[in-house]
Structures are given as structure tokens and as C-alpha cells.
Amino acid sequence: MTRIDLNADLGEGFGRWRLTDDEQLLSVVTSANVACGFHAGDAATMRRVCELAAERGVRIGAQVSYRDLAGFGRRAMDVPSDELAAEVAYQIGALEVFARAAGSRVAYVKPHGALYNRVVHDEEQAAAVVEGVVLAGAGLPVLGLPSSRFLKVAERAGLPVVTEAFADRAYTQEGTLVPRTEEGAVITDAEAVVERSLRLARSGTVTARSGERVPVRARSLCLHGDTPGAVGLARRVRARLESSGVRVEAFV
């Protein structure tokens, strides 16, 4: 049977502001990428999301990023490797406190935004993120794009790697994400997202912006929590997958 994990970026608020409908999304997804305070999130939000995730049996992941609250972690930054490694470990450690208090644990690590895209090609920054994960301990799995430098470096360091795909993002013919600064980078048609999700799960392919079919074999499928109508879309995706014989389950 085909299996796929559904992950979503959660806890992406700050103080009184909430960007994601965490409670509703946690009734759909199997893995929660929780913002750790560097691009979004704060201590109270991290605690609340961990408690909700633990109650529902959803795996908790640390979504680490550059220190960029103002830019939501989506601005390019040049951070020295030793500093980045320490900040990655710091974010994981902060989330681990709340995960354990909720009776769970941090089960994996996923970079966010500009950092996620940077480590696809930049081996030095990829190595810094991996160093931070290793520094945090527990040999946590890492989530990233297939064939990225990040996953290759993580494998060499002995970390479990999990490939990921995005049904609501446009792809290049090289199998990388089209930058958000370009028109059409985000897929907004709900039915198209649902169909792309099923194709990614069953055949491991996606139609690139150029029209070519490219391989994107992934164990986890990301549903962006900050997309308008995210909860309804997530429910449609999961329902379509399950009705088509795809088993939705966490990868850890």
C-alpha cells in the first residue's frame, strides 16, 4: 500500500497574532512543523501547539529558520556557520522542552523559508544546519527536498533523511521550487492542489512549470498552514488520498 505523511507549518503566530489554524489543522495532518521563535512563534504558542499535537498523536517537528521575525524567515541572510549551527540547536532545544512537557518529544527537524531553499544548493549552510541537529542530540530525522545538498550532508552525518514534496508550489524542471518572488510560484487552485497531491503520492511525479513531468519521490507532503482556506484544502487532500487507497501516516 502507498503511504504518505502529511505535514503542515504550525504555530506561526506571535503574541496576540495567529497566522495558522493550529487546532483544526492538527485534526488533519500527521506531522506538525512547529515554528521555534526565529521566523514566527513564541514560548506560549510553542507550548500550546505541542499540547494539541500530543493530544492528537501528531508528530512534533522543529521548524528551524534564520533569525528573521520581520521577514517571516523568507529573506536571504548570510549567517556564519558556527552561529547558524548554534541557533539551530537552540531552536530544537526550546521546542523539546514543551514537547516533553506535553508527554511527547521532538521527532524531526525541517528548515523553513529562505534557509530551506538555501540548503538545497549551499553545502556549507547545509552542513551548519546538520551540525546544529547533531548538537541537539537524539539523531533526529531531517526533512528536505529530494537530491538536496542538505539531505546528502545529513546522510553522511548518520541522520535519517525524509524526502518532501509540495502540492501547492510550482516546480522547476530540475525538481526545485520556483522562488516565491516569481509569478505562479504558489498554486492557488484547490482542485489542482488535490490532484497534484494524489499524483505525488502515487507516482512520485509533478508537472513542472515548463510542462515537463519531473520525478519528486517523497515520503512526506507539505500543506502550508498560512494558505487562505488551508484547513478545508487539507481536509480535501487527505480525503482524496484515502479514498484513492493511499494510507496517510506519520513517517516516524
Tab-separated table of all heavy atoms in Angstrom, residues 115-150:
chain	number	residue	atom	x	y	z
A	115	LEU	N	16.039	29.530	4.564
A	115	LEU	CA	17.022	28.525	4.968
A	115	LEU	C	16.756	27.205	4.245
A	115	LEU	O	17.692	26.546	3.783
A	115	LEU	CB	16.981	28.335	6.484
A	115	LEU	CG	17.975	27.329	7.071
A	115	LEU	CD1	19.411	27.717	6.725
A	115	LEU	CD2	17.795	27.218	8.585
A	116	TYR	N	15.496	26.824	4.137
A	116	TYR	CA	15.121	25.594	3.432
A	116	TYR	C	15.653	25.621	1.999
A	116	TYR	O	16.256	24.652	1.523
A	116	TYR	CB	13.604	25.461	3.429
A	116	TYR	CG	13.075	24.145	2.879
A	116	TYR	CD1	12.707	23.115	3.729
A	116	TYR	CD2	12.923	23.956	1.499
A	116	TYR	CE1	12.200	21.911	3.223
A	116	TYR	CE2	12.436	22.766	0.992
A	116	TYR	CZ	12.070	21.740	1.857
A	116	TYR	OH	11.585	20.558	1.350
A	117	ASN	N	15.410	26.736	1.318
A	117	ASN	CA	15.845	26.839	-0.076
A	117	ASN	C	17.358	26.976	-0.204
A	117	ASN	O	17.951	26.472	-1.174
A	117	ASN	CB	15.143	28.019	-0.745
A	117	ASN	CG	13.652	27.771	-0.921
A	117	ASN	OD1	13.242	26.717	-1.380
A	117	ASN	ND2	12.824	28.745	-0.544
A	118	ARG	N	17.992	27.628	0.740
A	118	ARG	CA	19.447	27.824	0.694
A	118	ARG	C	20.179	26.488	0.783
A	118	ARG	O	21.159	26.254	0.048
A	118	ARG	CB	19.856	28.755	1.842
A	118	ARG	CG	21.353	29.027	1.957
A	118	ARG	CD	21.813	30.052	0.931
A	118	ARG	NE	23.187	30.460	1.169
A	118	ARG	CZ	23.536	31.546	1.870
A	118	ARG	NH1	22.597	32.313	2.408
A	118	ARG	NH2	24.808	31.874	2.034
A	119	VAL	N	19.713	25.600	1.677
A	119	VAL	CA	20.459	24.357	1.895
A	119	VAL	C	20.203	23.322	0.801
A	119	VAL	O	20.814	22.250	0.817
A	119	VAL	CB	20.159	23.758	3.284
A	119	VAL	CG1	20.594	24.712	4.383
A	119	VAL	CG2	18.689	23.391	3.451
A	120	VAL	N	19.331	23.642	-0.154
A	120	VAL	CA	19.184	22.763	-1.313
A	120	VAL	C	20.491	22.734	-2.107
A	120	VAL	O	20.926	21.678	-2.586
A	120	VAL	CB	18.024	23.229	-2.215
A	120	VAL	CG1	18.023	22.463	-3.540
A	120	VAL	CG2	16.690	23.036	-1.502
A	121	HIS	N	21.150	23.900	-2.212
A	121	HIS	CA	22.350	24.013	-3.037
A	121	HIS	C	23.618	24.358	-2.253
A	121	HIS	O	24.718	24.042	-2.713
A	121	HIS	CB	22.145	25.101	-4.103
A	121	HIS	CG	20.961	24.877	-4.980
A	121	HIS	ND1	20.877	23.836	-5.877
A	121	HIS	CD2	19.785	25.560	-5.095
A	121	HIS	CE1	19.729	23.886	-6.518
A	121	HIS	NE2	19.036	24.913	-6.063
A	122	ASP	N	23.488	25.011	-1.120
A	122	ASP	CA	24.642	25.522	-0.378
A	122	ASP	C	25.112	24.492	0.645
A	122	ASP	O	24.525	24.325	1.711
A	122	ASP	CB	24.254	26.834	0.325
A	122	ASP	CG	25.439	27.552	0.930
A	122	ASP	OD1	26.356	26.876	1.449
A	122	ASP	OD2	25.454	28.800	0.906
A	123	GLU	N	26.208	23.808	0.328
A	123	GLU	CA	26.685	22.735	1.203
A	123	GLU	C	27.191	23.263	2.538
A	123	GLU	O	27.040	22.603	3.571
A	123	GLU	CB	27.780	21.917	0.508
A	123	GLU	CG	28.229	20.725	1.327
A	123	GLU	CD	28.695	19.566	0.466
A	123	GLU	OE1	28.532	19.615	-0.768
A	123	GLU	OE2	29.211	18.599	1.039
A	124	GLU	N	27.782	24.438	2.552
A	124	GLU	CA	28.298	24.990	3.807
A	124	GLU	C	27.164	25.287	4.792
A	124	GLU	O	27.244	24.934	5.972
A	124	GLU	CB	29.094	26.266	3.534
A	124	GLU	CG	29.726	26.852	4.796
A	124	GLU	CD	30.571	28.075	4.498
A	124	GLU	OE1	30.947	28.283	3.321
A	124	GLU	OE2	30.864	28.823	5.445
A	125	GLN	N	26.101	25.927	4.290
A	125	GLN	CA	24.964	26.197	5.167
A	125	GLN	C	24.237	24.897	5.533
A	125	GLN	O	23.760	24.741	6.662
A	125	GLN	CB	23.995	27.160	4.487
A	125	GLN	CG	24.542	28.572	4.317
A	125	GLN	CD	24.437	29.403	5.579
A	125	GLN	OE1	23.406	29.973	5.893
A	125	GLN	NE2	25.541	29.480	6.317
A	126	ALA	N	24.178	23.965	4.601
A	126	ALA	CA	23.577	22.666	4.891
A	126	ALA	C	24.337	21.964	6.009
A	126	ALA	O	23.734	21.398	6.936
A	126	ALA	CB	23.559	21.797	3.635
A	127	ALA	N	25.649	22.019	5.942
A	127	ALA	CA	26.474	21.376	6.970
A	127	ALA	C	26.270	22.036	8.327
A	127	ALA	O	26.297	21.367	9.373
A	127	ALA	CB	27.944	21.431	6.570
A	128	ALA	N	26.050	23.350	8.337
A	128	ALA	CA	25.819	24.059	9.591
A	128	ALA	C	24.497	23.629	10.222
A	128	ALA	O	24.410	23.438	11.445
A	128	ALA	CB	25.828	25.566	9.358
A	129	VAL	N	23.469	23.468	9.401
A	129	VAL	CA	22.177	23.009	9.928
A	129	VAL	C	22.318	21.594	10.481
A	129	VAL	O	21.835	21.289	11.580
A	129	VAL	CB	21.082	23.061	8.846
A	129	VAL	CG1	19.784	22.465	9.381
A	129	VAL	CG2	20.849	24.498	8.389
A	130	VAL	N	22.988	20.730	9.745
A	130	VAL	CA	23.205	19.356	10.206
A	130	VAL	C	23.998	19.351	11.501
A	130	VAL	O	23.679	18.599	12.441
A	130	VAL	CB	23.914	18.529	9.119
A	130	VAL	CG1	24.387	17.185	9.684
A	130	VAL	CG2	22.983	18.309	7.929
A	131	GLU	N	25.014	20.198	11.598
A	131	GLU	CA	25.792	20.289	12.834
A	131	GLU	C	24.897	20.682	14.001
A	131	GLU	O	25.028	20.161	15.116
A	131	GLU	CB	26.918	21.312	12.678
A	131	GLU	CG	27.803	21.434	13.922
A	131	GLU	CD	28.853	22.515	13.785
A	131	GLU	OE1	29.089	22.998	12.660
A	131	GLU	OE2	29.452	22.887	14.832
A	132	GLY	N	23.972	21.601	13.755
A	132	GLY	CA	23.052	22.016	14.806
A	132	GLY	C	22.133	20.888	15.251
A	132	GLY	O	21.856	20.724	16.447
A	133	VAL	N	21.668	20.084	14.286
A	133	VAL	CA	20.813	18.939	14.622
A	133	VAL	C	21.595	17.927	15.449
A	133	VAL	O	21.100	17.401	16.458
A	133	VAL	CB	20.259	18.278	13.341
A	133	VAL	CG1	19.442	17.032	13.691
A	133	VAL	CG2	19.401	19.266	12.556
A	134	VAL	N	22.817	17.651	15.032
A	134	VAL	CA	23.666	16.707	15.776
A	134	VAL	C	23.952	17.238	17.177
A	134	VAL	O	23.914	16.496	18.164
A	134	VAL	CB	24.979	16.447	15.008
A	134	VAL	CG1	25.953	15.632	15.850
A	134	VAL	CG2	24.688	15.734	13.683
A	135	LEU	N	24.213	18.538	17.275
A	135	LEU	CA	24.494	19.160	18.565
A	135	LEU	C	23.311	19.024	19.513
A	135	LEU	O	23.471	18.838	20.721
A	135	LEU	CB	24.825	20.643	18.357
A	135	LEU	CG	25.202	21.480	19.588
A	135	LEU	CD1	26.449	20.917	20.258
A	135	LEU	CD2	25.431	22.931	19.179
A	136	ALA	N	22.096	19.084	18.951
A	136	ALA	CA	20.891	18.957	19.779
A	136	ALA	C	20.690	17.531	20.281
A	136	ALA	O	19.910	17.307	21.214
A	136	ALA	CB	19.665	19.410	18.987
A	137	GLY	N	21.360	16.557	19.670
A	137	GLY	CA	21.298	15.178	20.130
A	137	GLY	C	20.154	14.389	19.544
A	137	GLY	O	19.345	14.886	18.756
A	138	ALA	N	20.079	13.121	19.915
A	138	ALA	CA	18.982	12.204	19.581
A	138	ALA	C	18.971	11.721	18.131
A	138	ALA	O	18.105	10.933	17.759
A	138	ALA	CB	17.624	12.830	19.916
A	139	GLY	N	19.908	12.177	17.287
A	139	GLY	CA	19.962	11.690	15.903
A	139	GLY	C	18.660	11.862	15.157
A	139	GLY	O	18.173	10.958	14.482
A	140	LEU	N	18.085	13.059	15.242
A	140	LEU	CA	16.758	13.309	14.679
A	140	LEU	C	16.735	13.218	13.151
A	140	LEU	O	17.662	13.678	12.485
A	140	LEU	CB	16.266	14.697	15.098
A	140	LEU	CG	16.006	14.898	16.593
A	140	LEU	CD1	15.747	16.380	16.880
A	140	LEU	CD2	14.823	14.049	17.033
A	141	PRO	N	15.654	12.678	12.581
A	141	PRO	CA	15.483	12.715	11.130
A	141	PRO	C	15.338	14.163	10.652
A	141	PRO	O	14.867	15.025	11.403
A	141	PRO	CB	14.169	11.949	10.903
A	141	PRO	CG	13.963	11.146	12.148
A	141	PRO	CD	14.568	11.953	13.253
A	142	VAL	N	15.724	14.409	9.401
A	142	VAL	CA	15.568	15.737	8.822
A	142	VAL	C	14.719	15.625	7.559
A	142	VAL	O	14.758	14.621	6.836
A	142	VAL	CB	16.921	16.393	8.494
A	142	VAL	CG1	17.710	16.635	9.763
A	142	VAL	CG2	17.735	15.548	7.522
A	143	LEU	N	13.955	16.674	7.307
A	143	LEU	CA	13.020	16.720	6.190
A	143	LEU	C	13.539	17.717	5.152
A	143	LEU	O	13.937	18.829	5.502
A	143	LEU	CB	11.661	17.190	6.721
A	143	LEU	CG	10.374	16.815	6.002
A	143	LEU	CD1	10.241	15.303	5.893
A	143	LEU	CD2	9.186	17.384	6.772
A	144	GLY	N	13.547	17.325	3.869
A	144	GLY	CA	14.027	18.240	2.846
A	144	GLY	C	13.704	17.760	1.444
A	144	GLY	O	13.129	16.680	1.244
A	145	LEU	N	14.076	18.575	0.460
A	145	LEU	CA	13.820	18.229	-0.945
A	145	LEU	C	14.684	17.052	-1.382
A	145	LEU	O	15.856	16.957	-0.995
A	145	LEU	CB	14.126	19.420	-1.850
A	145	LEU	CG	13.113	20.557	-1.959
A	145	LEU	CD1	13.590	21.558	-2.990
A	145	LEU	CD2	11.722	20.054	-2.304
A	146	PRO	N	14.137	16.155	-2.205
A	146	PRO	CA	14.952	15.068	-2.748
A	146	PRO	C	16.175	15.620	-3.485
A	146	PRO	O	16.109	16.659	-4.130
A	146	PRO	CB	13.994	14.372	-3.726
A	146	PRO	CG	12.625	14.733	-3.254
A	146	PRO	CD	12.746	16.117	-2.682
A	147	SER	N	17.290	14.942	-3.356
A	147	SER	CA	18.548	15.295	-4.030
A	147	SER	C	19.151	16.611	-3.562
A	147	SER	O	20.071	17.137	-4.199
A	147	SER	CB	18.362	15.346	-5.557
A	147	SER	OG	17.891	14.103	-6.029
A	148	SER	N	18.678	17.181	-2.471
A	148	SER	CA	19.253	18.428	-1.962
A	148	SER	C	20.600	18.155	-1.291
A	148	SER	O	20.866	17.044	-0.822
A	148	SER	CB	18.310	19.080	-0.952
A	148	SER	OG	18.158	18.268	0.196
A	149	ARG	N	21.443	19.191	-1.261
A	149	ARG	CA	22.721	19.060	-0.546
A	149	ARG	C	22.458	18.765	0.926
A	149	ARG	O	23.196	18.016	1.571
A	149	ARG	CB	23.525	20.363	-0.675
A	149	ARG	CG	23.865	20.801	-2.079
A	149	ARG	CD	24.512	19.695	-2.893
A	149	ARG	NE	25.683	19.123	-2.252
A	149	ARG	CZ	26.271	17.988	-2.646
A	149	ARG	NH1	25.782	17.295	-3.655
A	149	ARG	NH2	27.346	17.544	-2.026
A	150	PHE	N	21.409	19.341	1.464
A	150	PHE	CA	21.069	19.159	2.871
A	150	PHE	C	20.898	17.678	3.218
A	150	PHE	O	21.481	17.176	4.195
A	150	PHE	CB	19.784	19.932	3.171
A	150	PHE	CG	19.258	19.780	4.567
A	150	PHE	CD1	20.090	19.956	5.668
A	150	PHE	CD2	17.926	19.465	4.787
A	150	PHE	CE1	19.601	19.818	6.967
A	150	PHE	CE2	17.429	19.335	6.073
A	150	PHE	CZ	18.270	19.506	7.161
